[in-house]
Every structure is written in C-alpha cells, then in structure tokens.
C-alpha cells in the first residue's frame, strides 16, 4: 500500500460503537468510492476495523458482503483481542493474520523514557521501571499509568535551563 503511487487515506471504524444503520452507510460509501467523496486520480483507502470481535452476527455478515465486493484499492485491517470470537467466514477471508505478543519490559521502559524526554519530564528510573513491569507487556497500559503518575504530581518537570 505504502509503495504504490497515489493518495492513501486511512479511516478507523470502531466496530463496537457503530449501529447497523451507521455501519451500512459506511460500507456503502466504501463500495461506492472509498471514503471522503469521489476523488480524481489513484486513491488507496485503508479501513482499520477496531474491536471487530464486537460485531454482531448481522454486522459481520454485512461486512463480509461489502469486503468481498469492495473496490480493489480498498484494504481492510480487522483488529481484535479476541480473534476466536469473530465470524468464521469473515476470519477466513483474511489474507494473513498477524498476532502481536507482549512487549518486553525493557522496550516499554525505552518508550516511557522517550515520552519523558518529549514531555520535558525528569525521568525517575525507579518509577518508570515499576510502570514497565506492571504493564505486563502492554505499552498502552504503561503510557496510561505514566499519565496518571504525572497528573498526580509525582514526576518533576525539567526547567527550561536544563
């Protein structure tokens, strides 16, 4: 997708939050011309369907029909933390599956230090190490915990002179 010529547009669809009528409208738009209206030239569209395990049977069937009939320049990425709960026929249409594992604590620690640098926070290695370990390999959990620790005033900000 990235190496092809033309425009690339990405749209996230939170499957759990969409009602049948909203989902149907999005899917009809996809089949018609991608999203965002008719555009001249070569436009690639990526649809990131988050929490697809939350689709009802009826919604999943709706997706299946539209995914099969979609224009060749439309790409669908179905994301889930419960792959086995998805509609089997929709799962079977996936070209490939990537299963992500837990992120090692040292990588999460590196991420947290980078955020501290960007946000002008004085890194407290003991606190960051504890957050990295307690996140159990989930970067989003670690970042959320860092935010909470910062909001609680437990981290110091660097001054402009440093």
């Amino acid at each position: 997708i990235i190496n092809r010529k033309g425009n690339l547009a990405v749209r996230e669809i939170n499957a759990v939050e969409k009602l049948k009528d909203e989902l149907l409208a999005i899917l009809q738009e996809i089949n018609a011309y991608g999203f965002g209206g008719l555009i001249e030239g070569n436009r690639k569209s990526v649809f990131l369907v988050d929490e697809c395990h939350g689709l009802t049977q009826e919604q999943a069937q709706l997706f299946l029909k539209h995914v099969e009939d979609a224009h060749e320049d439309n790409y669908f990425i179905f994301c889930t933390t419960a792959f086995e709960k998805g509609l089997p026929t929709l799962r079977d249409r996936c070209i490939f599956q990537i299963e992500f594992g837990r992120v090692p604590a040292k990588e999460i620690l590196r991420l947290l230090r980078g955020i501290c640098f960007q946000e002008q926070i004085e890194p407290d290695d003991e606190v960051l190490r504890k957050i990295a370990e307690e996140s159990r390999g989930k970067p989003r959990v670690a970042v959320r915990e860092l935010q909470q620790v910062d909001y609680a005033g437990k981290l110091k900000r660097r001054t402009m002179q440093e």
Side-chain angles (χ1 to χ4, degrees), residues 5-66:
K5 293 181 180 178
N7 297 319
L8 176 66
V10 179
R11 178 172 182 174
E12 181 182 358
I13 302 168
N14 186 323
V16 174
E17 294 177 358
K18 296 295 176 199
L19 300 174
K20 180 185 171 204
D21 291 341
E22 292 175 289
L23 192 57
L24 182 58
I26 290 169
L27 292 171
Q28 288 171 338
E29 180 183 346
I30 290 168
N31 276 350
Y33 41 74
F35 65 88
L38 289 170
I39 296 173
E40 287 187 32
N42 203 6
R43 185 176 181 98
K44 312 292 182 205
S45 299
V46 177
F47 300 91
L48 180 65
V49 184
D50 194 16
E51 301 184 51
C52 67
H53 61 273
L55 290 169
T56 65
Q57 180 82 11
E58 188 177 23
Q59 290 171 319
Q61 290 292 344
L62 207 60
F63 248 113
L64 181 61
K65 178 192 178 310
H66 286 80

Side-chain angles (χ1 to χ4, degrees), residues 4-158:
R4 289 186 173 186
K5 293 181 180 178
N7 297 319
L8 176 66
V10 179
R11 178 172 182 174
E12 181 182 358
I13 302 168
N14 186 323
V16 174
E17 294 177 358
K18 296 295 176 199
L19 300 174
K20 180 185 171 204
D21 291 341
E22 292 175 289
L23 192 57
L24 182 58
I26 290 169
L27 292 171
Q28 288 171 338
E29 180 183 346
I30 290 168
N31 276 350
Y33 41 74
F35 65 88
L38 289 170
I39 296 173
E40 287 187 32
N42 203 6
R43 185 176 181 98
K44 312 292 182 205
S45 299
V46 177
F47 300 91
L48 180 65
V49 184
D50 194 16
E51 301 184 51
C52 67
H53 61 273
L55 290 169
T56 65
Q57 180 82 11
E58 188 177 23
Q59 290 171 319
Q61 290 292 344
L62 207 60
F63 248 113
L64 181 61
K65 178 192 178 310
H66 286 80
V67 167
E68 288 177 338
D69 296 340
H71 189 270
E72 66 182 22
D73 288 336
N74 290 327
Y75 300 89
F76 294 84
I77 300 173
F78 293 94
C79 302
T80 181
T81 54
F83 184 74
E84 68 285 352
K85 292 182 181 178
L87 180 67
T89 45
L90 188 56
R91 286 194 321 244
D92 292 344
R93 299 303 191 279
C94 294
I95 295 172
F96 59 90
Q97 299 165 13
I98 301 171
E99 190 169 327
F100 294 99
R102 308 267 179 187
V103 177
K106 69 178 186 175
E107 293 299 318
I108 291 178
L109 188 57
R110 184 178 305 161
L111 169 69
L112 296 175
R113 284 184 178 137
I115 292 170
C116 286
F117 177 79
Q118 285 292 119
E119 297 297 321
Q120 309 263 323
I121 296 171
E122 190 65 45
D124 181 327
D125 282 338
E126 184 179 327
V127 171
L128 296 183
R129 208 175 343 274
K130 185 175 179 182
I131 291 172
E133 289 170 8
E134 290 179 0
S135 70
R136 294 189 176 96
K138 300 176 183 176
R140 187 168 36 183
V141 171
V143 171
R144 187 172 44 237
E145 183 63 27
L146 179 64
Q147 287 175 324
Q148 290 174 351
V149 170
D150 185 37
Y151 293 151
K154 296 179 182 177
L155 297 173
K156 295 179 184 176
R157 297 279 176 175
R158 287 192 299 243

